[in-house]
Every structure is written in structure tokens, then in C-alpha cells.
Amino acid sequence: MKQINLIIAIALMGLSQTALASMKVTVNGMVCSFCAQGIEKSISKMDETKAVFVDLKNKVVVVEAKEGKTLNEKLISQEIKDSGYDVVKIETISQTVAQFRAQQKDKK
Amino acid sequence: MSKQQNLEAVYTRKLARWNLPEAQANIWFIGGLGSTTGNTFTGSKAMASPGIQVDYETTRFYSMASARVYAAQGATSNITTARLGASFYEADYDEPQPWIVVEARRMTFVSRQYEFTPMVRVIHKRYFVEAGANLSGQLRFNFMYNY
């Protein structure tokens, strides 16, 4: 019984980590804030999105999930392609959008 | 001085795009249908205006060239345009970014010579504003809002 409880607890921890994770998407062709508005607009509209950050200097888009929601990697990738850009890489990161922005500011 | 006014509906289609790690390049088709009036002919003439535009830009550099033919019976003309721009600094997504842009444009229904127009462009989030004046002092203003 203890073993089952432990497995359930680990599984729940895993779920909660996934749900709170952000996605960092490396995008080619993103050179202008006016043109990249479409990315922010379309990803912000997704039900599972809490926050979006477009980092023009590093050519990445960071998407943070709402609590209890899981980001859809394929959908995010498709929205970026539909906005006219190429997705190079998608990574899951443990930072929130606010933490990522703060980290980028500290690097300056 | 000859003058011509064009009234047209314009269709733009992206023919090719290259998304590079630090740049983007495009080829566009621009096509217009409408009418033209002028002081070198009488009445209004039906007009078709196919053209092509190529551009290449980075976060600090902008270049564009375009050519369009304004075809109307007995009153065909063309416009060729080139633009070069540079930004003062690389801006973050939510910061205003000022640019200096210089345009060279030749409109054959006005003159065989190129007119040069230096402009200041500011891009900030959903706003795009461009203002300048050609060397004869004629003002130019462009505004776009991304909604």
C-alpha cells in the first residue's frame, strides 16, 4: 500500500511539474516587433496560456502555462509557423515568463 | 509638369520567404486593378498594375526594392522604389525602436528622375509610424496599426 501511495505521489509530482512548465521556442526570422505581434496574439488566445514573452534579441518565444494546464507543443509550433516564422527548437523550461525576463535583464 | 492619379484595389501575395537565424527575406507579388486620370490625357482609363517587391531585414538593417508597371491604354507608366534603413540600436520587443530610412523613388508619370526622401521610422509594439520629406520639401507620412 505504501508503495502504491509513493508511486501515486511521484506521478502527481510529475504531473504538477509538467503543468507548471513553460516552453521556450527558438524562432528563425523574428526581426521586428511590429511583425511578431501575430505570434503573441495567437498564442495568448490559447486556453492553456498564462503569459507569452517574445525575446527579439535572442529570437525566442517563452510561453507559460496556466496552473493545471498543459501546453500543446504542436499547436504552439503551428501558430508560430502560421504567423510566418520557422520554429527551430522547442524546450521545456522550469522558469515562469517573469523569471525568464528577469534573467535576461540580469544578463545585460 | 505631368500629373497622374491612380485609384486602385491592391492585392499582395507572399511568393517566397526565408527565415534566417538573424534575418528575414521576402519576395512579394503586388497587383492592382483600377483607373487612372491625368493631365496628359482626357477622361479616366482602366489600369492594371502588376509589380514585385523584394526585402531583406535584420533587427538593425532594412532594405527593400520594388517595381510596378501601371498599364493603361496610351498612359502606361512605372514606379521603381528602393529603401535602405538602419536602426539606432537593437530594441527589445516592448521598447520603441527608431530608424532612419532613405527612399529613392522614380515615378515615370511625374519625372524620369529619382526623388530622394529621408524619413524617421518608429516601431513600437503594434504601431508603425514613418514621417519625412523629399528634397523638394514635400511631406510623407505613413502609419500602420497591427490589430
Side-chain angles (χ1 to χ4, degrees):
Chain A
M1 189 63 187
K2 271 184 183 176
Q3 205 175 4
I4 293 168
N5 283 343
L6 187 65
I7 290 166
I8 291 169
I10 290 169
L12 285 174
M13 272 171 64
L15 274 178
S16 118
Q17 273 178 352
T18 308
L20 288 173
S22 297
M23 271 184 192
K24 182 182 163 191
V25 190
T26 306
V27 182
N28 269 4
M30 213 167 53
V31 291
C32 150
S33 63
F34 183 77
C35 315
Q37 291 293 322
I39 294 178
E40 186 185 27
K41 207 165 117 184
S42 57
I43 296 176
S44 296
K45 276 184 189 167
M46 291 177 174
D47 185 44
E48 56 272 27
T49 305
K50 183 180 178 185
V52 183
F53 172 54
V54 177
D55 184 349
L56 276 186
K57 288 181 181 170
N58 295 302
K59 312 291 182 289
V60 298
V61 176
V62 179
V63 188
E64 181 182 337
K66 282 179 188 163
E67 206 169 328
K69 301 267 185 177
T70 306
L71 295 168
N72 186 326
E73 187 179 317
K74 277 188 183 169
L75 214 56
I76 289 172
S77 183
Q78 193 56 50
E79 289 289 355
I80 292 172
K81 281 180 193 167
D82 290 347
S83 298
Y85 302 92
D86 289 343
V87 171
V88 179
K89 189 167 76 173
I90 300 189
E91 310 161 68
T92 302
I93 58 171
S94 56
Q95 293 158 302
T96 63
V97 161
Q99 287 166 340
F100 184 86
R101 290 186 78 151
Q103 189 189 48
Q104 296 309 308
K105 275 193 175 172
D106 289 345
K107 280 183 186 173
K108 285 180 186 173
Chain B
M1 186 179 175
S2 65
K3 280 184 182 173
Q4 198 169 324
Q5 276 189 322
N6 300 327
L7 182 67
E8 59 177 339
V10 179
Y11 169 75
T12 305
R13 185 176 177 81
K14 183 178 70 190
L15 297 179
R17 170 167 286 175
W18 292 269
N19 284 316
L20 310 168
E22 301 291 336
Q24 188 182 75
N26 299 288
I27 301 176
W28 305 89
F29 166 80
I30 306 163
L33 282 176
S35 63
T36 184
T37 53
N39 61 359
T40 57
F41 53 91
T42 52
S44 172
K45 289 173 185 283
M47 177 196 73
S49 56
I52 198 152
Q53 178 181 312
V54 294
D55 58 64
Y56 173 87
E57 60 184 310
T58 72
T59 49
R60 294 285 312 276
F61 173 78
Y62 169 76
S63 61
M64 182 279 276
S66 73
R68 283 184 76 188
V69 175
Y70 289 79
Q73 199 174 26
T76 295
S77 58
N78 61 68
I79 298 180
T80 46
T81 309
R83 282 178 163 218
L84 277 180
S87 173
F88 294 95
Y89 52 83
E90 192 174 43
D92 277 331
Y93 181 70
D94 50 3
E95 285 177 344
Q97 187 177 26
W99 293 71
I100 290 288
V101 177
V102 178
E103 181 190 88
R105 183 173 67 170
R106 189 176 75 151
M107 299 183 286
T108 57
F109 52 84
V110 176
S111 165
R112 293 270 160 199
Q113 291 190 327
Y114 276 89
E115 69 164 353
F116 291 90
T117 309
M119 286 178 277
V120 173
R121 172 190 291 178
V122 178
I123 294 172
H124 187 211
K125 293 182 177 176
R126 292 168 182 262
Y127 296 92
F128 177 107
V129 183
E130 218 171 46
N134 67 13
L135 300 184
S136 308
Q138 290 173 310
L139 299 177
R140 290 275 294 279
F141 183 77
N142 297 316
F143 172 79
M144 285 192 282
Y145 178 74
N146 193 338
Y147 60 92

PDB file of all heavy atoms in Angstrom, chain A residues 79-100:
ATOM      1  N   GLU A  79       1.084  27.665 -34.652  1.00  0.00           N
ATOM      2  CA  GLU A  79       0.699  29.082 -34.607  1.00  0.00           C
ATOM      3  C   GLU A  79       1.865  29.964 -35.038  1.00  0.00           C
ATOM      4  O   GLU A  79       1.680  30.961 -35.743  1.00  0.00           O
ATOM      5  CB  GLU A  79       0.245  29.484 -33.187  1.00  0.00           C
ATOM      6  CG  GLU A  79      -1.083  28.903 -32.765  1.00  0.00           C
ATOM      7  CD  GLU A  79      -2.284  29.501 -33.497  1.00  0.00           C
ATOM      8  OE1 GLU A  79      -2.116  30.439 -34.284  1.00  0.00           O
ATOM      9  OE2 GLU A  79      -3.396  28.990 -33.273  1.00  0.00           O
ATOM     10  N   ILE A  80       3.063  29.606 -34.620  1.00  0.00           N
ATOM     11  CA  ILE A  80       4.247  30.397 -34.987  1.00  0.00           C
ATOM     12  C   ILE A  80       4.521  30.279 -36.489  1.00  0.00           C
ATOM     13  O   ILE A  80       4.796  31.272 -37.159  1.00  0.00           O
ATOM     14  CB  ILE A  80       5.469  29.973 -34.141  1.00  0.00           C
ATOM     15  CG1 ILE A  80       5.234  30.377 -32.673  1.00  0.00           C
ATOM     16  CG2 ILE A  80       6.762  30.608 -34.660  1.00  0.00           C
ATOM     17  CD1 ILE A  80       6.262  29.868 -31.687  1.00  0.00           C
ATOM     18  N   LYS A  81       4.367  29.073 -37.014  1.00  0.00           N
ATOM     19  CA  LYS A  81       4.539  28.876 -38.470  1.00  0.00           C
ATOM     20  C   LYS A  81       3.476  29.668 -39.239  1.00  0.00           C
ATOM     21  O   LYS A  81       3.780  30.291 -40.253  1.00  0.00           O
ATOM     22  CB  LYS A  81       4.440  27.388 -38.816  1.00  0.00           C
ATOM     23  CG  LYS A  81       5.708  26.624 -38.507  1.00  0.00           C
ATOM     24  CD  LYS A  81       5.543  25.164 -38.871  1.00  0.00           C
ATOM     25  CE  LYS A  81       6.668  24.338 -38.279  1.00  0.00           C
ATOM     26  NZ  LYS A  81       6.388  22.900 -38.334  1.00  0.00           N
ATOM     27  N   ASP A  82       2.228  29.622 -38.747  1.00  0.00           N
ATOM     28  CA  ASP A  82       1.148  30.348 -39.420  1.00  0.00           C
ATOM     29  C   ASP A  82       1.374  31.862 -39.375  1.00  0.00           C
ATOM     30  O   ASP A  82       0.861  32.591 -40.224  1.00  0.00           O
ATOM     31  CB  ASP A  82      -0.211  30.021 -38.783  1.00  0.00           C
ATOM     32  CG  ASP A  82      -0.660  28.599 -39.084  1.00  0.00           C
ATOM     33  OD1 ASP A  82      -0.047  27.955 -39.970  1.00  0.00           O
ATOM     34  OD2 ASP A  82      -1.600  28.116 -38.428  1.00  0.00           O
ATOM     35  N   SER A  83       2.114  32.324 -38.373  1.00  0.00           N
ATOM     36  CA  SER A  83       2.432  33.751 -38.293  1.00  0.00           C
ATOM     37  C   SER A  83       3.560  34.121 -39.255  1.00  0.00           C
ATOM     38  O   SER A  83       3.918  35.297 -39.371  1.00  0.00           O
ATOM     39  CB  SER A  83       2.834  34.132 -36.863  1.00  0.00           C
ATOM     40  OG  SER A  83       1.768  33.907 -35.982  1.00  0.00           O
ATOM     41  N   GLY A  84       4.152  33.115 -39.904  1.00  0.00           N
ATOM     42  CA  GLY A  84       5.152  33.398 -40.935  1.00  0.00           C
ATOM     43  C   GLY A  84       6.591  33.136 -40.539  1.00  0.00           C
ATOM     44  O   GLY A  84       7.520  33.589 -41.223  1.00  0.00           O
ATOM     45  N   TYR A  85       6.797  32.397 -39.456  1.00  0.00           N
ATOM     46  CA  TYR A  85       8.167  32.159 -38.974  1.00  0.00           C
ATOM     47  C   TYR A  85       8.485  30.661 -38.927  1.00  0.00           C
ATOM     48  O   TYR A  85       7.588  29.828 -39.067  1.00  0.00           O
ATOM     49  CB  TYR A  85       8.332  32.778 -37.577  1.00  0.00           C
ATOM     50  CG  TYR A  85       8.050  34.255 -37.577  1.00  0.00           C
ATOM     51  CD1 TYR A  85       6.778  34.745 -37.296  1.00  0.00           C
ATOM     52  CD2 TYR A  85       9.039  35.172 -37.921  1.00  0.00           C
ATOM     53  CE1 TYR A  85       6.499  36.106 -37.340  1.00  0.00           C
ATOM     54  CE2 TYR A  85       8.772  36.530 -37.957  1.00  0.00           C
ATOM     55  CZ  TYR A  85       7.505  36.987 -37.672  1.00  0.00           C
ATOM     56  OH  TYR A  85       7.237  38.320 -37.732  1.00  0.00           O
ATOM     57  N   ASP A  86       9.752  30.344 -38.722  1.00  0.00           N
ATOM     58  CA  ASP A  86      10.168  28.941 -38.659  1.00  0.00           C
ATOM     59  C   ASP A  86      10.579  28.577 -37.236  1.00  0.00           C
ATOM     60  O   ASP A  86      11.385  29.291 -36.621  1.00  0.00           O
ATOM     61  CB  ASP A  86      11.366  28.695 -39.598  1.00  0.00           C
ATOM     62  CG  ASP A  86      10.948  28.757 -41.060  1.00  0.00           C
ATOM     63  OD1 ASP A  86       9.737  28.666 -41.333  1.00  0.00           O
ATOM     64  OD2 ASP A  86      11.827  28.919 -41.926  1.00  0.00           O
ATOM     65  N   VAL A  87      10.040  27.484 -36.748  1.00  0.00           N
ATOM     66  CA  VAL A  87      10.417  27.006 -35.413  1.00  0.00           C
ATOM     67  C   VAL A  87      11.655  26.120 -35.540  1.00  0.00           C
ATOM     68  O   VAL A  87      11.673  25.173 -36.324  1.00  0.00           O
ATOM     69  CB  VAL A  87       9.243  26.231 -34.776  1.00  0.00           C
ATOM     70  CG1 VAL A  87       9.681  25.542 -33.493  1.00  0.00           C
ATOM     71  CG2 VAL A  87       8.083  27.165 -34.522  1.00  0.00           C
ATOM     72  N   VAL A  88      12.681  26.438 -34.770  1.00  0.00           N
ATOM     73  CA  VAL A  88      13.940  25.703 -34.848  1.00  0.00           C
ATOM     74  C   VAL A  88      14.027  24.664 -33.737  1.00  0.00           C
ATOM     75  O   VAL A  88      14.469  23.540 -33.944  1.00  0.00           O
ATOM     76  CB  VAL A  88      15.133  26.691 -34.736  1.00  0.00           C
ATOM     77  CG1 VAL A  88      16.454  25.953 -34.785  1.00  0.00           C
ATOM     78  CG2 VAL A  88      15.073  27.729 -35.838  1.00  0.00           C
ATOM     79  N   LYS A  89      13.590  25.068 -32.546  1.00  0.00           N
ATOM     80  CA  LYS A  89      13.735  24.176 -31.385  1.00  0.00           C
ATOM     81  C   LYS A  89      12.665  24.508 -30.334  1.00  0.00           C
ATOM     82  O   LYS A  89      12.334  25.690 -30.151  1.00  0.00           O
ATOM     83  CB  LYS A  89      15.137  24.386 -30.790  1.00  0.00           C
ATOM     84  CG  LYS A  89      15.537  23.394 -29.727  1.00  0.00           C
ATOM     85  CD  LYS A  89      17.024  23.474 -29.417  1.00  0.00           C
ATOM     86  CE  LYS A  89      17.382  24.666 -28.578  1.00  0.00           C
ATOM     87  NZ  LYS A  89      18.784  24.683 -28.129  1.00  0.00           N
ATOM     88  N   ILE A  90      12.162  23.474 -29.662  1.00  0.00           N
ATOM     89  CA  ILE A  90      11.243  23.717 -28.540  1.00  0.00           C
ATOM     90  C   ILE A  90      11.777  22.980 -27.313  1.00  0.00           C
ATOM     91  O   ILE A  90      12.067  21.789 -27.378  1.00  0.00           O
ATOM     92  CB  ILE A  90       9.807  23.234 -28.845  1.00  0.00           C
ATOM     93  CG1 ILE A  90       9.238  23.965 -30.065  1.00  0.00           C
ATOM     94  CG2 ILE A  90       8.912  23.444 -27.640  1.00  0.00           C
ATOM     95  CD1 ILE A  90       7.760  23.708 -30.318  1.00  0.00           C
ATOM     96  N   GLU A  91      11.940  23.729 -26.227  1.00  0.00           N
ATOM     97  CA  GLU A  91      12.429  23.118 -24.978  1.00  0.00           C
ATOM     98  C   GLU A  91      11.427  23.414 -23.867  1.00  0.00           C
ATOM     99  O   GLU A  91      10.761  24.436 -23.898  1.00  0.00           O
ATOM    100  CB  GLU A  91      13.758  23.739 -24.537  1.00  0.00           C
ATOM    101  CG  GLU A  91      14.822  23.815 -25.599  1.00  0.00           C
ATOM    102  CD  GLU A  91      15.882  24.843 -25.221  1.00  0.00           C
ATOM    103  OE1 GLU A  91      16.620  24.612 -24.254  1.00  0.00           O
ATOM    104  OE2 GLU A  91      15.969  25.878 -25.902  1.00  0.00           O
ATOM    105  N   THR A  92      11.372  22.536 -22.897  1.00  0.00           N
ATOM    106  CA  THR A  92      10.584  22.813 -21.694  1.00  0.00           C
ATOM    107  C   THR A  92      11.521  23.383 -20.644  1.00  0.00           C
ATOM    108  O   THR A  92      12.592  22.830 -20.400  1.00  0.00           O
ATOM    109  CB  THR A  92       9.923  21.517 -21.180  1.00  0.00           C
ATOM    110  OG1 THR A  92       9.107  21.004 -22.230  1.00  0.00           O
ATOM    111  CG2 THR A  92       9.054  21.781 -19.969  1.00  0.00           C
ATOM    112  N   ILE A  93      11.130  24.499 -20.072  1.00  0.00           N
ATOM    113  CA  ILE A  93      11.953  25.105 -19.023  1.00  0.00           C
ATOM    114  C   ILE A  93      11.123  25.253 -17.752  1.00  0.00           C
ATOM    115  O   ILE A  93       9.902  25.329 -17.820  1.00  0.00           O
ATOM    116  CB  ILE A  93      12.552  26.475 -19.448  1.00  0.00           C
ATOM    117  CG1 ILE A  93      11.437  27.466 -19.833  1.00  0.00           C
ATOM    118  CG2 ILE A  93      13.533  26.302 -20.598  1.00  0.00           C
ATOM    119  CD1 ILE A  93      11.926  28.891 -20.051  1.00  0.00           C
ATOM    120  N   SER A  94      11.800  25.310 -16.624  1.00  0.00           N
ATOM    121  CA  SER A  94      11.062  25.366 -15.360  1.00  0.00           C
ATOM    122  C   SER A  94      10.735  26.799 -14.939  1.00  0.00           C
ATOM    123  O   SER A  94      10.001  27.006 -13.977  1.00  0.00           O
ATOM    124  CB  SER A  94      11.882  24.683 -14.261  1.00  0.00           C
ATOM    125  OG  SER A  94      13.146  25.299 -14.188  1.00  0.00           O
ATOM    126  N   GLN A  95      11.260  27.787 -15.672  1.00  0.00           N
ATOM    127  CA  GLN A  95      11.023  29.184 -15.283  1.00  0.00           C
ATOM    128  C   GLN A  95       9.651  29.685 -15.753  1.00  0.00           C
ATOM    129  O   GLN A  95       9.143  29.228 -16.770  1.00  0.00           O
ATOM    130  CB  GLN A  95      12.080  30.080 -15.914  1.00  0.00           C
ATOM    131  CG  GLN A  95      13.471  29.867 -15.395  1.00  0.00           C
ATOM    132  CD  GLN A  95      14.492  30.358 -16.400  1.00  0.00           C
ATOM    133  OE1 GLN A  95      14.530  29.910 -17.540  1.00  0.00           O
ATOM    134  NE2 GLN A  95      15.313  31.288 -15.971  1.00  0.00           N
ATOM    135  N   THR A  96       9.127  30.653 -15.024  1.00  0.00           N
ATOM    136  CA  THR A  96       7.938  31.365 -15.494  1.00  0.00           C
ATOM    137  C   THR A  96       8.414  32.430 -16.476  1.00  0.00           C
ATOM    138  O   THR A  96       9.624  32.700 -16.566  1.00  0.00           O
ATOM    139  CB  THR A  96       7.206  32.053 -14.326  1.00  0.00           C
ATOM    140  OG1 THR A  96       8.091  33.037 -13.772  1.00  0.00           O
ATOM    141  CG2 THR A  96       6.784  31.063 -13.263  1.00  0.00           C
ATOM    142  N   VAL A  97       7.481  33.069 -17.146  1.00  0.00           N
ATOM    143  CA  VAL A  97       7.839  34.159 -18.063  1.00  0.00           C
ATOM    144  C   VAL A  97       8.534  35.289 -17.293  1.00  0.00           C
ATOM    145  O   VAL A  97       9.545  35.834 -17.733  1.00  0.00           O
ATOM    146  CB  VAL A  97       6.584  34.666 -18.818  1.00  0.00           C
ATOM    147  CG1 VAL A  97       6.806  36.055 -19.393  1.00  0.00           C
ATOM    148  CG2 VAL A  97       6.223  33.704 -19.946  1.00  0.00           C
ATOM    149  N   ALA A  98       7.986  35.622 -16.121  1.00  0.00           N
ATOM    150  CA  ALA A  98       8.572  36.706 -15.318  1.00  0.00           C
ATOM    151  C   ALA A  98      10.009  36.366 -14.909  1.00  0.00           C
ATOM    152  O   ALA A  98      10.901  37.233 -14.960  1.00  0.00           O
ATOM    153  CB  ALA A  98       7.716  36.962 -14.090  1.00  0.00           C
ATOM    154  N   GLN A  99      10.239  35.115 -14.534  1.00  0.00           N
ATOM    155  CA  GLN A  99      11.599  34.697 -14.143  1.00  0.00           C
ATOM    156  C   GLN A  99      12.546  34.732 -15.341  1.00  0.00           C
ATOM    157  O   GLN A  99      13.691  35.155 -15.225  1.00  0.00           O
ATOM    158  CB  GLN A  99      11.560  33.278 -13.557  1.00  0.00           C
ATOM    159  CG  GLN A  99      10.955  33.237 -12.166  1.00  0.00           C
ATOM    160  CD  GLN A  99      10.613  31.800 -11.723  1.00  0.00           C
ATOM    161  OE1 GLN A  99      10.479  30.893 -12.543  1.00  0.00           O
ATOM    162  NE2 GLN A  99      10.476  31.620 -10.416  1.00  0.00           N
ATOM    163  N   PHE A 100      12.064  34.313 -16.498  1.00  0.00           N
ATOM    164  CA  PHE A 100      12.901  34.327 -17.703  1.00  0.00           C
ATOM    165  C   PHE A 100      13.276  35.761 -18.076  1.00  0.00           C
ATOM    166  O   PHE A 100      14.425  36.058 -18.402  1.00  0.00           O
ATOM    167  CB  PHE A 100      12.154  33.648 -18.864  1.00  0.00           C
ATOM    168  CG  PHE A 100      12.973  33.536 -20.118  1.00  0.00           C
ATOM    169  CD1 PHE A 100      13.833  32.455 -20.308  1.00  0.00           C
ATOM    170  CD2 PHE A 100      12.917  34.517 -21.103  1.00  0.00           C
ATOM    171  CE1 PHE A 100      14.612  32.355 -21.458  1.00  0.00           C
ATOM    172  CE2 PHE A 100      13.684  34.423 -22.259  1.00  0.00           C
ATOM    173  CZ  PHE A 100      14.533  33.340 -22.428  1.00  0.00           C
TER     174      PHE A 100
END
